[in-house]
Every structure is written in C-alpha cells, then in structure tokens.
C-alpha cells in the first residue's frame, strides 16, 4: 500500500514539475515587459493571521541493515499561534503531531510534541521577559552546535537528519528568560527548573522530563567589538555539572563568504561515561565547529565545516566499543541521537544548497558527513518544489556507507527514500 | 568709489550668471533622487513582489519593510518581514550596512549571510531594501536624452552614470535616468564584468508621505529578458522603528502589531 502511494507520489511529482512549464510567450522588449506588468492586478499584502499551520504527508521506504525493505507513512499536522496583545504582551503556542504507520519503536503510532507555550512581556523596547516552554536555540555552526545547550533530549521523533529541521522539530524547555539590550551589546539570562525526573514516552505527554529533568542556567552576552563583529560569550551550568563556557562568532570574509566559529569548553565526564552512566573522572573537554559558507554568483551555497567533540570516544575507544558488547554499543548510539553530540571526535561536514538554480521555485540541499575515525560516510539529499503558495512537494534520499557498527554504517536505516507533501493552510 | 562699486556690482553679476549657467551637480541630483525614493524619517511600507517567466507568474512574496536612517552611516537599516506565502510567514531579514542576517521563527536560527546570497529569487537584497545611492555611488551627468518611461510616454531625462564608491554597493555601475524633478524613471544595473544584470522602470508615481514617489518598479533580467519582477509598494506610513528590531540578538522577540 505504502509502496503504491510512494510510486504514485513520484509520478505526481513529475507531472507537477512538467505542468508548471507551460507555453513560452515572447517578452522580448522593455515595452513588452511593461505591458505585462500593466495587465496584472497586484493585491496589497494583508496582515497575516496569528494562526499558522501545515500538514505533512510523507510515505517512505527504508532499507534496513539486515537488507529488509520497511515501508512507512507519516502524517504530521503542525499548528502555531503567535499573537500580541495588551501593552507589549505576546502569547505563543506551537505544537506538532506525528502519526506514523505501521508504528514507532515501542508500538506507538502517534506522538505529540508541544514545542512551545509561553507568555512574553516587553516592558520597554530594550527589555524582554519570557515565561513558559520556549525553544531556545544557540550557535553559529551549521552541522554541530556545542553551545546549543538546551538541545539534549529535545527531539521526540526525528523526521529529518538535516540539522536545520532538527532545530525546528524539537521540544522547547520550560524556563524564565530575561533579555536586555544596549547600544553595543546585550545580555540574556535563562533559568530552567527541574520539573520531572525522566522522559515520558506516552503519546500525548508534554514530556517535561525530556527537557526539564534537571535545573539549568545560562548567561549569554554579546558585545560589538568592531563594525560587523559582535561575538557572543556564554556561561552555562546544569545541575550536577561544572560550568561550560561558550563562544560564538561570525565574520563577513568578503561579499560571498561568511566565516563562523562556535566553541564550548568545560569540565565534564566523557560522552561514553555519561551515556553508560559510568562514574568516570571529569576533565576539561572542548567542542567546536568552525567553517565557511560561500555563495556563488549563480546562488549555489556551500558550507564546509569541521566539527570536534573532545568528550567523544577517541579512535581506540570507539574501535573497542564497535567490537565490544552489543548492548553497550546500542546504548551509546541511542544517547548520541538524543544528545545530538558527535559519535566520534572529529567529523567534517559539508552542506550544499541551491534556490531557483535548476528550476524556478526548486530548492535543493545535499549534506555529507564523514567520520575521520572509522571512515564511514553519510549522504542526504533533498529537493523541494514550491508548487504554489500552499503546496510543497519534496523528495528526500539518504544513504549510509561504512563497516557494520561504524558511525554511519551502523545506522539502522541503510538507505531511505521519502516523498514529502506539505500543505500550508 | 563709484568705480569700485561698479566693479563690485559687475563681479557679483558675473558670479550669479556663472552660477545660473553651471551644469547641475550630478551628486546633488542623485541625493534629490534618493529623497524622492526614500523618506528621511523612519517609516514602514508593504511590498508585493511578483515573478514572471515567459509571461507566466511563477512566484509571489508579500513583505513588510521597516526602514530607519542611521545617523552615523547616512545609510538605511532595514528589517524585512515576510508576510506571504505561508511557508515564509514571519521570517525576517535584517540589512544594516554590509551586515545581512536571516531569521526563521520556526528554528529560531539567526543566520548571517553574505551580500551575494539572494533571498528572493531574481531580486537582489539591494533591490528590496531602502538605500541611499548617493552614499554608495559617484555620479556623473552624461547629458539629456529622450527615453520611453514606465507609463509608455516619452520623457526628457537627465542621464547619470553611477560608479560604486564603497564595497557594500550592490552593483558595480548604474546608468540612471531622472526626469526634470530628479525623480528616477529608468536604470540599467551592471556587474563588475560590464554585463547588464537588470533593467528597472520606476513608475506609477503617487503622493506618499508628502512626496510624489514611485509605487511600482518593473525589473527585467539582463540575461533572460523574459524573466520579469514587479515590485508594488503600498501602505507607506511613518513608523518609529525600535532600535532593538535592528539587532540580530532580538529577532526572536520582534513582534509586529
């Protein structure tokens, strides 16, 4: 059934792409262009509704490590309500519901993600207070964000390996945030209380234990050091942990290139000790992402990034984990997915994206990850065609290569193809 | 004494007549053109942007532009809010000098982008935002020409040649035609290689915020003349743009009412 829907979806993609081309009408002169503009009725953009919603329909086929083909269908409605009221107040609600057939691990077919629910007050144009569940993201890196401190356990259901999408489809943290700005800088303070002791996998649970299983505090400040250079310094502390320091900076190298550097450092146990709940001894660990994004005149953007996680297993530790107890290996892999840390210490990351390059209204993206320790490779490609103002049609393909139990070769899905219809209301 | 007074009077007369006969200053004409295109006080407006290829509409965007003249640079800082289509709702673009930032409210990511990265298909970021050309280009008056304007009428225009004088200028060279009131009528925009990037017609002049301003720009692609973009401006209003809106750190708290 899913395979039928999948093949019909591909056919539908092709039909829509060809049907939008139509017949060319000669518009060769400036006068013709003006006459074309004369003939159009252009409506003034209206103020948007505070409601924003869309529905995704995504049939997919995956080839598992065992060589079996698994079919699945996902339906995911999303609702966002963002409204200003009173004198400087604002209310935000953001929720996503995933229905998956034949089901998720554990037998569930549905999973709700209450991503945001908060109130905001702006007593002045330079001061803001937020209270509630807020998706706080941080970091100038593209493929890895060591200063994105509130990412741990935040993704209930992974719908895409694209880091950009993972920042959207995750739970916010219940917190109080205050921010103040001045002429040459800003200061943000966040306090997130402990509300539950452990994650709750129930379908409709707000899952406060995933994001608020311990108290967390963050201080982040920016300062304009020079024209066009405003780095951010941060200090984060989770209950039972040593403080972590962070740095984020971007710089415009030239008209086509942006450079970025994201760093986090602090005393902590290794990722392996944390994942396996081993006592371990704490040491100063550094994580960073450094890279460049270059855009060609024809609008092809290429990001080349080097990611380092000093707390991840060394080459020898990773090899012994690969060849050791399968339960220990699986437990570590699961922790890496939920914590969004690197599996091993060093990983180059490349992202290539285009907009309107091959076909008008077609966005494409390719991601490549390479594990320098076990030489496994992950490739993901996406093409999304904006059929009209309400409909997107996408195709996602991913493949992993490497020896069994390697970083990417050990992924449960060896290859995956997914068609993605999105309807924006 | 009488002779001295006569000589002084003759000198004054000669200065005045020389001033009257002097050609208009091209840079001042460009500054006057800027004043017609852009209000000097902070303001907001709505922009409807339609893309055509081979006479078929292939895309549209609705934008709200919040603009404020920065005292130190003499250039505008612009915050662009996407209001349509729905997939782009409430995305923000900030352009202040050479700094260009994009914010997506869904993933809360403030992404710094390079000036070369276009965010709106064929239309460059420089076309969407408010810019004072006189701050970024050196103008030379070439002469007067009769051209066809955007209303299909013949217009006697002053032709200016503009060459980029600062690195943040979007184009290397511009040919700009102004009418007798220094209002822009038509422009050719060139790349550094000398290639024509686009042609623009400024038209449908209306009284907006106390000055007659163009409310539509028709842009024709230089390489593919059947690729046409129409930008329609409306709902001009004075608006006290908060300084905090022009800071990437504040993006997640920007809420337009």
């Amino acid at each position: 059934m899913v395979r039928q829907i999948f093949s019909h979806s591909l056919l539908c993609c092709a039909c829509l792409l060809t049907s939008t081309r139509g017949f060319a009408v000669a518009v060769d002169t400036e006068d013709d262009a003006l006459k074309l503009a004369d003939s159009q009725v252009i409506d003034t953009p209206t103020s948007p509704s505070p409601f924003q919603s869309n529905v995704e329909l995504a049939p997919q086929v995956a080839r598992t490590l065992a060589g079996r083909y698994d079919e699945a269908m996902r339906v995911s409605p999303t609702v966002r309500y963002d409204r200003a009221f009173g004198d400087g107040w604002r209310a935000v609600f953001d929720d996503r519901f995933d229905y998956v057939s034949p089901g998720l691990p554990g037998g569930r077919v549905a999973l709700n993600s209450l991503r945001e629910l908060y109130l905001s007050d702006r007593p002045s144009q330079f001061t803001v207070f937020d209270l509630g569940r807020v998706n706080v993201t941080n970091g100038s890196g593209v493929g890895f964000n060591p200063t994105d401190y509130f990412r741990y356990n935040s993704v209930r259901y992974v719908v895409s390996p694209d880091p950009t999408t993972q920042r959207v489809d995750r739970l916010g943290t219940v917190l109080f945030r205050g921010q103040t700005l001045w002429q040459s800088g800003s200061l943000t303070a966040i306090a997130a209380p402990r509300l539950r002791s452990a994650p709750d996998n129930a379908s409709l649970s707000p899952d406060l234990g995933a994001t608020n299983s311990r108290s967390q505090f963050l201080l982040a400040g920016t300062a304009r050091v020079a024209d066009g250079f405003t780095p951010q310094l941060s200090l984060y502390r989770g209950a039972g942990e040593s403080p972590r320091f962070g740095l984020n900076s971007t710089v415009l190298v030239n008209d086509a290139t942006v450079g970025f550097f994201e760093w986090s450092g602090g005393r902590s146990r290794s990722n392996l000790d944390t994942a396996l709940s081993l006592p371990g001894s704490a040491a100063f660990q550094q994580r960073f992402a450094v890279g460049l994004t270059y855009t060609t005149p024809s609008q092809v953007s290429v990001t080349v990034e080097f990611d380092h996680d000093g707390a991840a297993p060394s080459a020898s530790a990773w090899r012994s984990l690969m060849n050791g107890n399968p339960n220990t290996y699986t437990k570590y892999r699961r922790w890496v997915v939920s914590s969004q840390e690197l599996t091993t210490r060093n990983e180059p990351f490349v992202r290539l994206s285009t907009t309107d390059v091959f076909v008008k209204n077609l966005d494409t993206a390719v991601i490549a990850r390479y594990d320098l320790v076990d030489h496994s490779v992950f490739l993901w490609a996406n093409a999304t065609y904006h059929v009209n103002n309400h409909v997107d049609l996408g195709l996602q393909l991913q493949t992993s290569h490497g020896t069994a139990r390697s970083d990417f070769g050990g992924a449960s899905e060896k290859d995956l193809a997914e068609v993605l219809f999105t309807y924006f209301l | 004494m009488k002779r001295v007074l006569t000589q002084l009077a003759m000198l004054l007369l000669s200065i005045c007549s020389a001033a009257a006969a002097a050609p208009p200053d091209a840079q001042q004409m460009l500054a006057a053109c800027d004043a017609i295109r852009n209000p000097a006080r902070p303001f907001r407006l709505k922009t409807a942007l339609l893309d055509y290829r081979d006479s078929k509409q292939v895309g549209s965007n609705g934008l709200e532009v919040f603009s404020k003249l920065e005292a130190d640079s003499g250039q505008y800082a612009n915050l662009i809010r996407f209001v349509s289509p729905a997939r782009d709702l409430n995305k923000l673009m900030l352009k202040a000098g050479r700094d260009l930032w994009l914010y997506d409210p869904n993933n809360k990511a403030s992404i710094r982008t390079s000036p070369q990265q276009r965010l709106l298909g064929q239309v460059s970021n420089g076309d969407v935002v408010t810019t004072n050309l006189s701050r970024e280009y050196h103008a030379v008056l070439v002469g007067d020409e009769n051209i066809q304007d955007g209303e299909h009428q013949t217009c006697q225009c002053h032709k200016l040649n503009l060459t980029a004088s600062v690195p943040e200028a979007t184009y290397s060279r511009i040919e700009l035609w102004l009418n007798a009131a220094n209002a822009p009528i038509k422009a050719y925009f060139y790349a550094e290689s000398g290639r024509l990037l686009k042609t623009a017609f400024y038209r449908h002049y209306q009284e907006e915020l106390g000055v007659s301003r163009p409310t539509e720009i028709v842009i024709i692609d230089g390489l593919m003349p059947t690729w046409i973009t129409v930008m329609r401006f409306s709902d001009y209003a004075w608006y006290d743009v908060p300084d905090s809106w022009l800071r990437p750190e504040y993006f997640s708290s920007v809420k337009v009412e």
Side-chain angles (χ1 to χ4, degrees), chain A residues 379-420:
Chain A
L379 293 169
W380 174 84
N382 172 65
T384 300
Y385 183 69
H386 307 306
V387 178
N388 56 42
N389 280 354
H390 292 283
V391 178
D392 276 3
L393 193 52
L395 176 65
Q396 297 188 14
L397 302 170
Q398 74 178 56
T399 183
S400 307
H401 296 277
T403 56
R405 289 197 175 191
S406 62
D407 185 354
F408 301 115
S412 57
E413 291 159 340
K414 192 88 178 154
D415 305 299
L416 188 144
E418 180 180 84
V419 172
L420 187 65

Side-chain angles (χ1 to χ4, degrees), chain A residues 27 30-31 38 40 82 90 116 122 125 179 182 185 222 228 250 255 295 299 360-361 388 392, chain B residues 51-52 55 58 87 98 108 112 116 118 152 186 188 203 242-244 247 249-250 252 255 257:
Chain A
V27 182
E30 292 174 355
D31 200 43
D38 289 341
Q40 306 301 315
D82 184 346
R90 177 185 180 190
E116 291 196 300
R122 280 174 292 170
Q125 67 157 306
Q179 184 186 40
W182 57 93
T222 60
T250 58
D255 268 4
T295 303
Q299 297 302 295
K360 174 71 180 167
N361 295 326
N388 56 42
D392 276 3
Chain B
D51 269 333
Y52 300 89
S55 301
V58 291
R87 72 173 66 83
R98 294 186 82 199
K108 315 283 181 190
R112 190 171 187 175
Q116 186 148 285
R118 284 198 304 263
H152 309 277
K186 179 181 172 181
Y188 287 145
R203 62 183 205 161
D243 286 338
S244 55
R247 302 275 295 278
E249 305 100 300
Y250 194 80
S252 65
K255 183 65 187 162
E257 287 147 38

Side-chain angles (χ1 to χ4, degrees), chain B residues 47-118:
Chain B
T47 302
L49 204 147
L50 282 86
D51 269 333
Y52 300 89
R53 286 192 180 179
D54 301 327
S55 301
K56 285 185 67 176
Q57 187 185 324
V58 291
S60 66
N61 289 90
L63 311 170
E64 270 187 295
V65 180
F66 300 87
S67 201
K68 187 176 196 172
L69 195 60
E70 291 191 314
D72 50 348
S73 67
Q75 198 48 279
Y76 286 87
N78 291 268
L79 182 75
I80 317 286
R81 177 202 184 202
F82 291 66
V83 295
S84 68
R87 72 173 66 83
D88 293 327
L89 183 61
N90 289 326
K91 285 181 181 172
L92 300 173
M93 181 179 100
L94 171 66
K95 187 172 191 305
R98 294 186 82 199
D99 285 353
L100 188 65
W101 292 82
L102 186 67
Y103 174 76
D104 184 340
N106 292 311
N107 61 23
K108 315 283 181 190
S110 304
I111 299 167
R112 190 171 187 175
T113 60
S114 59
Q116 186 148 285
Q117 188 170 353
R118 284 198 304 263

Side-chain angles (χ1 to χ4, degrees), chain A residues 120-359:
Chain A
S120 184
D121 179 28
R122 280 174 292 170
S124 78
Q125 67 157 306
F126 292 106
T127 310
V128 187
F129 298 110
D130 300 315
L131 179 65
R133 179 169 238 181
V134 187
N135 182 7
V136 177
T137 63
N138 198 34
S140 51
V142 179
F144 178 52
N145 295 110
T147 65
D148 189 14
Y149 301 110
F150 295 95
R151 70 186 187 278
Y152 294 93
N153 277 330
S154 61
V155 179
R156 284 206 101 190
Y157 176 57
V158 179
V159 295
S160 168
D162 184 6
T164 311
T165 306
Q166 286 191 8
R167 282 183 164 202
V168 181
D169 291 320
R170 75 187 207 183
L171 302 173
T173 304
V174 178
L175 52 79
F176 171 77
R177 175 169 65 181
Q179 184 186 40
T180 183
L181 289 89
W182 57 93
Q183 194 65 32
S184 58
S186 71
L187 187 67
T188 303
I190 292 175
R194 178 182 189 270
L195 297 174
R196 293 280 189 281
S197 57
D200 178 357
N201 288 329
S203 293
L204 299 178
S205 167
D207 205 0
L208 299 177
T211 55
N212 288 79
S213 61
R214 62 203 167 125
S215 307
Q216 299 169 86
F217 303 93
L218 174 69
L219 264 181
T222 60
R224 186 186 291 177
V225 176
D227 204 23
F229 184 59
T230 307
Q232 181 209 55
L233 291 171
S234 59
L235 175 63
Y236 167 87
R237 182 162 195 184
E241 296 176 6
S242 297
R244 282 194 214 174
F245 301 92
L247 169 69
N248 273 289
S249 62
T250 58
V251 64
L252 187 64
V253 179
N254 57 40
D255 268 4
T257 312
V258 172
F260 54 85
F261 178 61
E262 179 175 352
W263 172 88
S264 171
R267 287 184 66 79
S268 69
R269 289 181 296 160
S270 71
N271 290 350
L272 211 49
D273 288 341
T274 308
L276 305 178
S277 304
L278 300 173
S281 56
F284 191 82
Q285 313 281 10
Q286 297 193 69
R287 299 171 170 92
F288 66 81
V290 60
L292 294 167
T293 297
Y294 170 73
T295 303
T296 68
S298 56
Q299 297 302 295
V300 177
S301 286
V302 183
T303 299
V304 179
E305 179 179 302
F306 182 78
D307 298 330
H308 172 79
D309 187 343
S314 63
S316 58
W318 175 237
R319 283 192 197 100
S320 59
L321 188 67
M322 284 167 68
N323 299 318
N325 185 324
N327 291 336
T328 308
Y329 170 82
T330 305
K331 195 172 180 185
Y332 176 70
R333 295 296 301 243
R334 283 188 183 150
W335 181 86
V336 167
V337 171
S338 64
S339 66
Q340 298 176 49
E341 296 285 5
L342 299 185
T343 307
T344 62
R345 281 197 184 165
N346 299 311
E347 189 180 295
F349 169 89
V350 176
R351 187 177 201 275
L352 190 146
S353 63
T354 68
T355 301
D356 293 344
V357 171
F358 306 109
V359 176

Side-chain angles (χ1 to χ4, degrees), chain B residues 192-223:
Chain B
E192 203 170 355
S193 63
R195 183 167 74 87
L196 176 66
L197 292 173
K198 61 186 70 169
T199 301
F201 283 94
Y202 301 81
R203 62 183 205 161
H204 296 355
Y205 274 77
Q206 285 177 25
E207 189 86 356
E208 297 284 1
L209 301 178
V211 175
S212 178
R213 306 180 196 277
T215 59
E216 190 171 291
I217 304 177
V218 180
I219 297 172
I220 307 161
D221 190 89
L223 196 62

